[in-house]
């Protein structure tokens, strides 16, 4: 009987992980590769890659005004990434941060419109923040309850709830909260007392999210709740065997996630937009997923990733105005850089080996 040796590719997870230096080399190489491919795309369309990349940097960091605008973009990204980190650590796939931000924005807007001209600024802002936290948390608690009770698919559930709450805002825009004249489909701008004060030229939301970063790091790393989240993420059966109430922990963690997302909604409407509209979240809830994954759910690393994405976003806007590069091309460039940054994690966590298989 003749035996033939056949080669077969095998994919396996790195048990001991990759050396940090090698891992960061792969990450840097992926960014360089993305920039090269992006540069070739720009060159093919008749634009200078070096000038385009220089414009992105200058348009996001070239002046105090640009830096402040970039920070404003980074604030909700960082806040929302912090919000979804505990859920993802638990392997509860919360894709509903967009809706939870919107729910929080609705709660804050209610008090801004009702008491904006009669209540002092500090107590009003505190009430708006608490309302946003509760609305966001309760909105997130709904899919968590169904998951804990009937093991529903949290990915689809949280995703669909985004569209429900956006529909509520559209109804408010054209109904109870519509600003005159009739048919404007707009909600009135907030009064001055309902706006977050500025610190160093940027609304104080940046202070809030930095404090949240420290608190989330402590919560995830050093508290009993953080330990329970990690255990459930590794194995929910192990957690149950250890006596943990998995359903209750899921609901508690989702309420926390939704509460932080709601607080982000408060920051957006009170610090940046000063009004509510159906696109108030602006895709932050989805982009923050990339921030959380790229940072490996590390709160401090999220600061760096959120800042990088904010630089790309603000710089791409400048690319469109200065060099007349179509916004779609700028979006493709940003998306490809993100894809490479996310894709490199595959090679860091997995290895491909060649296994020989004997055949008769």
């Amino acid at each position: 009987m003749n035996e033939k040796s056949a080669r077969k590719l095998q994919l396996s997870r790195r048990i001991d992980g990759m050396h940090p230096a090698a891992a960061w080399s792969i990450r840097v190489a992926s960014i360089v590769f993305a920039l090269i491919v992006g540069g070739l795309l720009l060159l093919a369309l008749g634009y200078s890659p070096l000038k385009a990349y220089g414009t992105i940097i200058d348009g996001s960091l070239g002046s105090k005004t640009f830096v402040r605008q970039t920070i404003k973009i980074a604030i909700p990204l960082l806040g929302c990434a912090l919000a979804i980190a505990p859920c993802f650590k638990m392997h509860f796939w919360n894709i509903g941060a967009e809706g939870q931000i919107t729910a929080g924005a609705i709660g804050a807007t209610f008090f801004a419109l009702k008491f904006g001209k009669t209540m002092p600024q500090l107590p009003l802002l505190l009430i708006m923040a608490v309302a946003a936290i509760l609305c966001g948390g309760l909105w997130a608690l709904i899919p968590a309850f169904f998951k804990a009770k009937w093991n529903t698919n949290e990915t689809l559930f949280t995703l669909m709830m985004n569209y429900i709450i956006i529909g509520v805002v559209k109804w408010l825009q054209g109904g109870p909260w519509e600003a005159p004249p009739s048919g404007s489909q707009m909600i009135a701008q907030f009064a001055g007392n309902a706006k977050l004060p500025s610190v160093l030229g940027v609304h104080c939301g940046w202070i809030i999210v930095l404090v949240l970063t420290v608190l989330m790091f402590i919560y995830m790393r050093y508290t009993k709740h953080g330990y329970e989240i990690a255990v459930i993420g590794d194995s929910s059966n192990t957690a149950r065997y250890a006596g943990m109430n998995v359903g209750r922990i899921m609901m508690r963690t989702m309420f926390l996630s939704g509460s932080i997302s709601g607080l982000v909604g408060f920051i957006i409407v009170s610090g940046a937009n000063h009004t509510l509209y159906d696109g108030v979240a602006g895709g932050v809830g989805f982009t923050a997923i990339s921030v959380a994954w790229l940072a490996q759910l590390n709160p401090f690393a999220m600061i760096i990733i959120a800042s990088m994405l904010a630089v790309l976003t603000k710089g791409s806007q400048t690319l469109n105005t200065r060099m007349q590069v179509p916004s779609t091309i700028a979006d493709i460039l940003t998306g490809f850089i993100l894809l490479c940054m996310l894709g490199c994690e595959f090679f860091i966590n997995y290895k491909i080996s060649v296994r020989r298989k004997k055949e008769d």
Side-chain angles (χ1 to χ4, degrees):
M1 184 179 293
N2 295 327
E3 291 186 347
K4 296 181 180 179
S5 180
R7 293 182 178 181
K8 184 179 180 181
L9 293 178
Q10 183 176 13
L11 177 67
S12 59
R13 190 175 184 88
R14 298 181 189 273
I15 300 175
D16 299 326
M18 181 179 284
H19 190 277
W24 280 107
S25 297
I26 291 176
R27 292 187 179 105
V28 172
S30 70
I31 295 174
V32 172
F33 174 73
L35 292 175
I36 291 173
V37 174
L40 293 174
L41 173 64
L42 290 167
L43 195 62
L45 295 172
Y47 302 102
S48 168
L50 293 178
K51 186 178 179 181
Y53 289 139
T55 300
I56 289 175
I57 299 300
D58 182 65
S60 56
L61 303 173
S63 69
K64 288 184 179 180
T65 301
F66 292 158
V67 170
R68 289 168 181 165
Q69 292 172 346
T70 301
I71 292 173
K72 287 180 180 179
I73 295 172
I75 289 170
L77 276 177
L78 174 58
C80 193
L82 293 170
I84 63 177
C87 296
F88 280 25
K89 183 74 174 178
M90 191 175 57
H91 288 185
F92 187 106
W93 311 116
N94 179 15
I95 315 298
E98 191 90 353
Q100 292 146 29
I101 290 172
T102 305
I106 292 174
T109 301
F110 173 80
F111 288 96
L113 296 177
K114 193 169 183 63
F115 301 108
K117 296 180 180 178
T118 59
M119 187 177 289
Q121 184 179 37
L122 182 57
L124 176 59
L125 289 174
L126 289 175
I127 291 173
M128 289 170 61
V130 171
I133 288 170
L134 290 175
C135 288
L138 291 173
W139 192 251
L141 195 57
I142 297 172
F145 172 78
F146 277 83
K147 174 70 174 181
K149 190 73 173 176
W150 294 291
N151 196 31
T152 55
N153 186 307
E154 72 275 13
T155 304
L156 291 176
F157 205 130
T158 53
L159 181 63
M160 291 301 103
M161 289 193 69
N162 292 336
Y163 301 105
I164 295 173
I165 199 68
I166 290 172
V168 171
V169 177
K170 289 181 178 179
W171 168 70
L172 291 171
Q173 284 180 181
W177 293 356
E178 185 181 32
S182 179
S184 66
Q185 294 289 312
M186 294 177 63
I187 295 173
Q189 288 281 310
F190 289 1
N193 285 351
K195 298 177 182 179
L196 283 175
S198 295
V199 178
L200 300 179
V202 182
H203 64 77
C204 64
W206 66 271
I207 298 176
I208 297 173
V209 295
L210 288 180
V211 171
L212 279 174
T213 302
V214 176
L215 293 177
M216 183 57 70
F217 178 80
I218 295 172
Y219 179 80
M220 296 277 284
R221 186 68 65 90
Y222 298 109
T223 67
K224 178 186 175 183
H225 288 182
Y227 171 74
E228 290 173 339
I229 289 170
V231 172
I232 293 174
D234 289 337
S235 172
S236 58
N237 290 330
T238 301
R240 290 188 182 93
Y241 183 77
M244 298 180 187
N245 189 328
V246 174
R248 186 180 66 184
I249 294 170
M250 280 184 180
M251 290 191 289
R252 181 187 69 204
T253 305
M254 268 297 281
F255 182 82
L256 173 66
S257 177
S259 296
I260 298 175
S261 295
L263 184 62
V264 171
F266 158 71
I267 292 171
I268 291 173
V269 294
S270 185
N273 297 344
H274 303 145
T275 189
L276 174 69
Y277 59 97
D278 58 297
V280 66
V284 167
F286 298 118
T287 308
I289 296 173
S290 300
V291 175
W293 275 121
L294 287 171
Q296 299 290 294
L297 304 182
N298 183 317
F300 292 117
M302 290 178 195
I303 298 175
I304 300 172
I305 303 300
S307 300
M308 287 176 58
L309 283 181
V311 166
L312 283 172
T313 302
K314 178 63 182 70
S316 296
Q317 295 170 359
T318 309
L319 196 63
N320 175 247
T321 55
R322 287 190 189 175
M323 295 182 60
Q324 284 72 53
V325 176
S327 58
T328 51
I329 300 301
D331 290 341
I332 290 173
L333 182 62
T334 302
F336 189 74
I337 292 173
L338 276 176
L339 177 64
C340 290
M341 291 172 68
L342 284 168
C344 74
E345 298 300 324
F346 171 83
F347 297 99
I348 293 172
N349 296 314
Y350 294 88
K351 61 181 179 179
I352 300 174
S353 54
V354 178
R355 184 166 62 92
R356 291 188 176 183
K357 180 180 178 182
K358 291 183 178 181
E359 296 180 351
D360 293 337

